[in-house]
Amino acid sequence: MYSLALTHLFSSAAELIFARERVRFYGPQALWMAFMLVALFNNFLGLVFLNQVKTWTLANEANNFVYGGVQYFTCALVSIRVEPEGLVNMETFYLKQRRAFLGAATLMYLIVITNDYLTRSEYPQWRTHFLLNLPFVVFYTIGAFAKPRWLHWLSAAGAPCLAGLYLLIFPPTGAGYSWRLST
């Protein structure tokens, strides 16, 4: 599902570039697309931990499947489809679709937060991870419901910054994580 989600983001970006003469650019929409790319990358890197699962259960598999599906829909909903003709107004798309893609993103992070809580005994950094994920939901809520345009910019710029920080702090890339996996 990661590759399908990535395909939506890249295809949309390519279509926007191809149709650039007809595109009315809107920064918050572009930032949310970029954020979803960084979030997808962060989550993809987290797959390295699947080799540490000692016993696979139906609950594990269902959780991974649901999370992957929600992530796919989040990326699909934020991606703009460019029609062969006519103006492509990114702001209009954002205002129309923001609650859908930010709602899906909220569900994605509620799954993460719930998983952190449920597996807290196995993961010593669960509180830090949990607390760092909570601001994402704040950014999603602001982006989904705020009327002033400056709040659209604030939420759309804040989320990728937080995702970058997350990438630097948490394994498998941050905090001195070693790529050498123990056997």
Side-chain angles (χ1 to χ4, degrees):
M1 286 192 226
Y2 286 91
S3 59
L4 293 173
L6 186 62
T7 299
H8 274 290
L9 293 170
F10 282 166
S11 293
S12 180
E15 287 179 17
L16 289 167
I17 292 168
F18 290 141
R20 63 188 168 274
E21 294 85 19
R22 301 183 291 120
V23 173
R24 183 173 295 155
F25 184 80
Y26 188 59
Q29 174 63 33
L31 287 169
W32 280 117
M33 289 174 69
F35 165 72
M36 295 305 171
L37 180 65
V38 174
L40 187 66
F41 182 65
N42 280 343
N43 295 332
F44 175 76
L45 290 175
L47 292 176
V48 72
F49 295 112
L50 291 180
N51 71 340
Q52 296 174 2
V53 176
K54 295 187 182 0
T55 305
W56 289 94
T57 65
L58 182 59
N60 295 102
E61 290 299 319
N63 181 60
N64 289 333
F65 184 78
V66 169
Y67 185 76
V70 171
Q71 186 168 254
Y72 167 82
F73 277 104
T74 304
C75 291
L77 291 169
V78 77
S79 299
I80 298 174
R81 288 189 176 164
V82 176
E83 298 298 327
E85 295 184 18
L87 178 69
V88 181
N89 190 326
M90 290 176 70
E91 183 176 13
T92 300
F93 177 87
Y94 172 80
L95 293 173
K96 182 179 177 185
Q97 289 298 114
R98 65 187 175 148
R99 289 191 179 125
F101 69 76
L102 293 171
T106 300
L107 180 57
M108 190 170 67
Y109 279 95
L110 289 175
I111 292 169
V112 168
I113 289 168
T114 301
N115 287 340
D116 285 348
Y117 183 76
L118 293 175
T119 61
R120 65 190 180 277
S121 63
E122 303 164 20
Y123 185 50
Q125 291 181 307
W126 79 272
R127 280 192 181 101
T128 306
H129 191 247
F130 179 86
L131 291 173
L132 188 58
N133 275 296
L134 284 177
F136 283 114
V137 177
V138 173
F139 287 130
Y140 300 157
T141 303
I142 291 169
F145 296 104
K147 292 192 189 293
R149 298 297 192 256
W150 69 271
L151 285 173
H152 296 179
W153 280 94
L154 174 73
S155 65
C161 290
L162 188 59
L165 176 65
Y166 184 92
L167 187 63
L168 294 173
I169 292 175
F170 286 100
T173 55
Y177 180 79
S178 172
W179 280 94
R180 190 183 65 172
L181 300 174
S182 60
T183 55

